[in-house]
Amino acid sequence: MREHFVTCGQMKILEQRADADGLSYYRMMENAGTRAAEIIMERISGSCSGEYDFDMKSRLEVAEDNFRGGELSASHEAGRSALMFCGKGNNGGDGFVAARRMMEAGYSVTVILVDGEPVTEDSITNFGLIRDRLEIVDMNDDERALMQIRQDPDVIVDAIYGTGFRGRLAGSGLKAAICINKQHAEKGTEVAALDIPSGLGGDLTNEKDLEVNSVRADYTITFHARKPVHLQKFAAAYCGETIVADIGIDEERLWNVEM
């Protein structure tokens, strides 16, 4: 049986249709970051079930109940920490939501702005919800920022570049990827990538186009459906385990609905 996936172009169309149908871009970002935070914390606490392709409606309703209107009980997560690398686009926005959810659950969270402050509308909004509540490090303000981080976190989250990334890593993005991979290799710190490990293209199917400096994740939480790169054997060393997180998109209905 062929494994279900959508191309990055198809995903963009689905998001556009979902937004027009009442599931706003902001809500999709909130769902994505919330599910990512849940999965990461479940894995760290050892309570993960190993199955994440949940029923759309019931699973998201449970997520909202668990967070009790925005704040999950922090008692069992006290002492945990996370280092969150965020880009300036919507992948970074997903990271801001995940950072907020993990902070509300009791994690000590440090957010590293890889390319400066966010530039997309929903990312800006979600950054505003955390900027005065947790530690923020901006690589644009300090070239030596990564060298000054002494934190030994339970998890590093890669939310730098998502499906819109093309080409090769450069500048702060390259430095961040090298830093993440070094921490992973030398200290064994668990790495979770949101949607796609930064440096890989979502539609990548040819190994000759592989960016070898891409983030190497233990697992990748991809939103709604796998993208072509997740199915490539040569990308397995970067994606690790691929986990599909439901963000509320009813694909079958949206392909057939008249917009």
Side-chain angles (χ1 to χ4, degrees), residues 91-225:
N91 195 246
D94 297 333
F96 298 145
V97 175
R100 170 165 49 87
R101 292 304 202 179
M102 293 174 75
M103 175 191 65
E104 290 167 345
Y107 273 70
S108 173
V109 181
T110 298
V111 168
I112 299 174
L113 300 178
V114 176
D115 292 315
E117 295 198 5
V119 296
T120 61
E121 182 180 359
D122 294 331
S123 296
I124 291 170
T125 299
N126 276 299
F127 181 60
L129 296 176
I130 64 168
R131 69 182 307 158
D132 297 324
R133 302 173 65 191
L134 47 75
E135 184 179 2
I136 307 289
V137 177
D138 191 336
M139 290 179 65
N140 275 5
D141 290 341
D142 185 358
E143 291 184 358
R144 298 175 61 85
L146 295 182
M147 298 177 63
Q148 296 169 13
I149 296 171
R150 296 290 180 262
Q151 187 178 351
D152 191 11
D154 291 282
V155 64
I156 294 175
V157 181
D158 164 27
I160 308 171
Y161 305 125
T163 57
F165 181 82
R166 301 289 186 277
R168 302 293 182 189
L169 290 170
S172 295
L174 177 59
K175 291 178 183 178
I178 290 172
C179 177
I180 294 170
N181 290 337
K182 183 177 180 181
Q183 179 93 357
H184 183 257
E186 295 182 357
K187 296 190 176 181
T189 307
E190 187 165 77
V191 175
L194 301 193
D195 216 5
I196 293 170
S198 293
L200 296 184
D203 289 332
L204 183 66
T205 57
N206 193 327
E207 189 171 4
K208 72 178 179 61
D209 296 323
L210 176 69
E211 165 58 84
V212 296
N213 292 305
S214 298
V215 169
R216 291 176 179 265
D218 291 291
Y219 56 98
T220 298
I221 303 167
T222 192
F223 304 123
H224 173 65

